[in-house]
Amino acid sequence: MAQTQFDLLADSFPGEVLFCRLGMDGAIRFTARGPGLARLHRVGEGSGPWAEHQLFRFVPEPDRKRLLESLYHSAKRLTPWRCEYMVKAGRRARVHLELSARPESRRDGGVEWVGCVLDVSERYYLEQALLRAQEKFRFLAESTRDLVTLHAPDGEFMYVSQSVRHLLGHTPDQLTGVSPLDYVHPGDVERVRDLFRKLAVQGETERDVQYRIRRRDGSYAWLESRATAYLDGEGQLIALQCTSRDITEQRALMSALVESEQRATGPVGPALEFFWEVDEHGRYMWVSAQAETIAGIPPVILETLSPFDLMPPEERTRVWNWFSGLRDSGRGFSEIEHRVLRNGELRWWRVSGMPLFSATGELTGYRGAARDVTEQKQVQGRLTQMAGAEPVSGLPNERVLAVHFERAQTRASIKDLGIVIVLVQVEVAEPSGDAALEALVAARYSLIIQRLEALLRPSQTLACIEPGQFVMLLPDLVRDEAVSVAQRMRARVEESLRRSGREQPVGPGWAHVGTAIFPGQGEMLAALLSRARQQSEPVRLAEEDSSLGEGEDDDRGDGC
């Protein structure tokens, strides 16, 4: 009759009945009445018995430790055993349980418990939601002057504070349930997307961002937002809370100050120069009014673009590779030249900039000036030709290279930097009298020059000191890194030469590549070139070179 009464009581109980025994040997055994306990713990079917490591197989280690500590405490003092814990069988499959059992000492020295296990998941999530709500309202009470918003993981507004009325002119109801990207300035949309991506995907918990957002009257205000991510136990984003303040006036004052200072110290008048700010991805955040004169695009449109959008495709790739390396180092830059298209016309810009950092030391972008130097480049080109530039390639000759080297040498001596010289010697074919053949040979030379130019950054120089002899000047290197830079550049040049030979099958069959480093391997340009010739190694450009008809055999590249 006692067993019948127990069964009736257990059937009417909302949880699962648990039996546990702790023997004198320290072994713990669990059994259950019915299969419910096994399902809650994700250990299949049945009613036991289970060892501790079997029943609590999917209980996280901190919860398991707390379960055992409370069990031993109950056994020692014969007080009720109570504990809450989580069962996590997969990435999202988890359940929160509450265990309650009463101990009884046995004659053999062991302890037995009879109790129940309840599924309290719903209560747990309600409590967590209540805690988040309490934290939100506590923060609102502390930050009444700023705009406080709460966002879903996809960015949608879940809550907007009343301060949005005087900051932007909108009401909280107008923004709740919509995406903030619908109001963000087109030029800043990617920046805000990056914010959500870093918080939701990359696991960051706090991030600052500046962006423009549309007011109710159609104008734009600058906001500075600090975003804080709320994560669950698995590190997944639950919500995003932002505190934002209007910095429109500060931005305007800062821009006016920067522009006035740079205009006062700049050597070129405002008609040929404009000032800018870009974010860490190179997108314009602000440009001065002179940008329309220089770029031919109104500032309101230019601020939705990046400098790379204005460049020809080949220039875009080259400058982007340089900018990526610069961004990783966090250094500024000076007098970098690149080409842009202005109303279909190719123009030259010279840009300088300094890095901008957040309060936590993160690179947030660059601020600087861009100057149109097209006319200067044209004059320099004519002077270079007059100075005796190599007529076929049109590259700077040895005299111009010497000037560039002297400048780089001066900077290297002052700042303790290194310089790498790469010498590329390509076979020069004798005239064959065959116009078609000579055109094909010239095409390979042209392709080689294009390949070498593509390997260089804007601050580096490619010169032709003699027909078929090219010099690559790589200045302003960290001295300890010069050797590795020389090795990498040599490998890239060799691969580029081989690729040129495959793409243009007629032309020189061999080349030689050598490197030298200032100051370790020479102080003067002539000494460095001599050292590069001594260290040069042959590179074969084609499997067969019968088109030249010279009859050289395969060991012709053994010397320089």
Side-chain angles (χ1 to χ4, degrees):
M1 182 174 294
Q3 181 64 40
T4 301
Q5 292 175 344
F6 176 83
D7 291 341
L8 290 173
L9 180 64
D11 289 339
S12 63
F13 200 80
E16 302 296 331
V17 177
L18 168 77
F19 301 90
C20 176
R21 177 176 176 81
L22 173 63
M24 289 296 296
D25 58 353
I28 305 174
R29 291 288 184 271
F30 296 89
T31 56
R33 182 185 177 279
L37 192 67
R39 289 195 297 270
L40 285 175
H41 289 78
R42 304 294 196 271
V43 291
E45 299 291 336
S47 57
W50 304 282
E52 174 268 331
H53 69 275
Q54 293 173 316
L55 184 65
F56 298 147
R57 174 184 174 187
F58 295 112
V59 176
E61 186 59 32
D63 287 8
R64 183 185 298 185
K65 182 179 178 181
R66 191 168 64 254
L67 271 168
L68 294 179
E69 287 176 351
S70 59
L71 179 142
Y72 293 133
H73 183 274
S74 173
K76 184 177 180 180
R77 292 174 172 78
L78 293 180
T79 55
W81 177 25
R82 294 190 177 93
C83 188
E84 288 190 12
Y85 59 101
M86 179 175 67
V87 175
K88 181 180 177 183
R91 185 175 180 182
R92 297 186 179 277
R94 53 185 180 167
V95 61
H96 293 266
L97 303 177
E98 181 181 73
L99 182 150
S100 181
R102 189 175 186 86
E104 184 177 347
S105 179
R106 293 302 181 185
R107 293 180 181 179
D108 60 359
V111 179
E112 290 185 351
W113 287 264
V114 178
C116 65
V117 175
L118 297 175
D119 185 347
V120 294
S121 299
E122 184 176 358
R123 187 188 73 189
Y124 173 86
Y125 290 120
L126 288 174
E127 290 174 349
Q128 293 300 308
L130 178 61
L131 286 175
R132 290 196 296 272
Q134 291 172 342
E135 290 173 357
K136 179 185 70 175
F137 287 107
R138 177 180 57 82
F139 189 88
L140 288 175
E142 297 172 351
S143 310
T144 54
R145 297 184 61 185
D146 294 334
L147 173 62
V148 179
T149 55
L150 191 66
H151 303 262
D154 62 357
E156 182 181 287
F157 285 114
M158 298 170 59
Y159 172 85
V160 182
S161 67
Q162 293 293 329
S163 56
V164 72
R165 295 178 182 272
H166 71 266
L167 281 179
L168 302 177
H170 303 293
T171 65
D173 291 340
Q174 288 173 331
L175 297 183
T176 303
V178 302
S179 171
L181 297 180
D182 295 339
Y183 293 86
V184 172
H185 189 282
D188 300 334
V189 167
E190 282 303 318
R191 189 178 307 115
V192 176
R193 279 204 183 104
D194 286 343
L195 170 75
F196 283 105
R197 189 179 303 116
K198 289 174 180 176
L199 292 171
V201 179
Q202 298 180 10
E204 298 187 22
T205 57
E206 195 168 82
R207 193 92 180 168
D208 294 339
V209 65
Q210 293 184 2
Y211 57 96
R212 288 157 293 184
I213 190 165
R214 191 171 70 250
R215 297 187 179 101
R216 186 176 183 179
D217 62 7
S219 63
Y220 283 91
W222 273 97
L223 294 185
E224 182 178 55
S225 298
R226 167 157 292 186
T228 303
Y230 291 97
L231 308 177
D232 62 14
E234 300 177 353
Q236 299 296 313
L237 182 67
I238 300 174
L240 188 68
Q241 181 252 309
C242 289
T243 306
S244 307
R245 63 182 55 193
D246 191 330
I247 59 169
T248 306
E249 186 175 351
Q250 294 113 293
R251 294 274 313 184
L253 291 173
M254 180 188 68
S255 299
L257 178 62
V258 169
E259 185 169 347
S260 63
E261 289 179 347
Q262 292 181 327
R263 186 181 298 174
T265 58
V268 180
L272 295 177
E273 187 175 29
F274 74 94
F275 307 104
W276 47 260
E277 282 188 20
V278 298
D279 63 14
E280 68 271 27
H281 302 292
R283 296 185 291 258
Y284 283 123
M285 296 176 61
W286 166 83
V287 296
S288 64
Q290 291 78 15
E292 185 168 5
T293 303
I294 309 302
I297 301 174
V300 67
I301 298 178
L302 195 58
E303 288 175 356
T304 66
L305 305 174
S306 76
F308 307 103
D309 295 325
L310 310 179
M311 301 177 191
E314 66 279 3
E315 191 82 340
R316 185 182 307 137
T317 301
R318 180 175 68 92
V319 181
W320 172 255
N321 292 336
W322 163 79
F323 178 75
S324 298
L326 177 78
R327 182 181 57 183
D328 294 339
S329 68
R331 297 195 301 265
F333 56 94
S334 177
E335 302 293 307
I336 300 301
E337 295 179 351
H338 64 81
R339 294 168 292 178
V340 299
L341 286 171
R342 181 185 186 277
N343 298 327
E345 177 188 3
L346 198 61
R347 308 287 294 181
W348 278 94
W349 285 4
R350 183 178 296 155
V351 295
S352 300
M354 61 180 182
L356 302 175
F357 298 96
S358 68
T360 58
E362 293 180 285
L363 180 72
T364 59
Y366 286 86
R367 177 186 300 149
R371 185 183 312 157
D372 190 315
V373 294
T374 306
E375 286 71 21
Q376 297 179 32
K377 294 291 291 185
Q378 292 171 348
V379 171
Q380 289 176 0
R382 289 193 292 269
L383 291 176
T384 300
Q385 292 293 335
M386 293 171 61
E390 202 276 327
V392 175
S393 66
L395 295 173
N397 64 1
E398 188 169 7
R399 190 178 308 172
V400 178
L401 176 67
V403 174
H404 288 194
F405 176 78
E406 183 178 352
R407 293 174 180 170
Q409 186 185 43
T410 302
R411 293 195 302 271
S413 300
I414 295 174
K415 300 182 179 181
D416 194 28
L417 301 174
I419 303 173
V420 169
I421 296 290
V422 182
L423 177 64
V424 181
Q425 303 174 90
V426 181
E427 282 185 340
V428 177
E430 296 293 335
S432 63
D434 186 338
L437 180 59
E438 290 183 356
L440 292 173
V441 172
R444 177 177 283 187
Y445 278 114
S446 177
L447 183 59
I448 288 173
I449 293 172
Q450 293 177 19
R451 291 289 188 189
L452 295 179
E453 286 182 321
L455 296 177
L456 296 179
R457 294 179 177 176
S459 59
Q460 299 167 347
T461 302
L462 176 65
C464 182
I465 59 175
E466 291 181 13
Q469 292 196 25
F470 306 98
V471 177
M472 306 170 77
L473 176 66
L474 283 61
D476 304 330
L477 301 174
V478 177
R479 187 168 292 190
D480 294 341
E481 299 177 359
V483 174
S484 61
V485 170
Q487 293 172 347
R488 293 197 300 270
M489 182 57 75
R490 183 174 191 156
R492 294 176 65 190
V493 167
E494 291 176 353
E495 175 58 29
S496 185
L497 290 171
R498 294 189 186 97
R499 191 180 303 170
S500 301
R502 291 193 296 268
E503 294 180 6
Q504 177 53 257
V506 178
W510 289 85
H512 295 79
V513 181
T515 62
I517 301 173
F518 170 88
Q521 298 178 341
E523 297 286 339
M524 305 303 293
L525 179 60
L528 291 169
L529 291 175
S530 176
R531 184 61 178 264
R533 288 190 180 93
Q534 295 173 8
Q535 295 184 343
S536 65
E537 295 181 359
V539 179
R540 188 161 188 167
L541 307 185
E543 293 298 326
E544 295 184 8
D545 199 26
S546 59
S547 58
L548 294 178
E550 295 297 325
E552 293 103 343
D553 47 32
D554 289 345
D555 60 356
R556 53 189 165 176
D558 291 342
C560 291

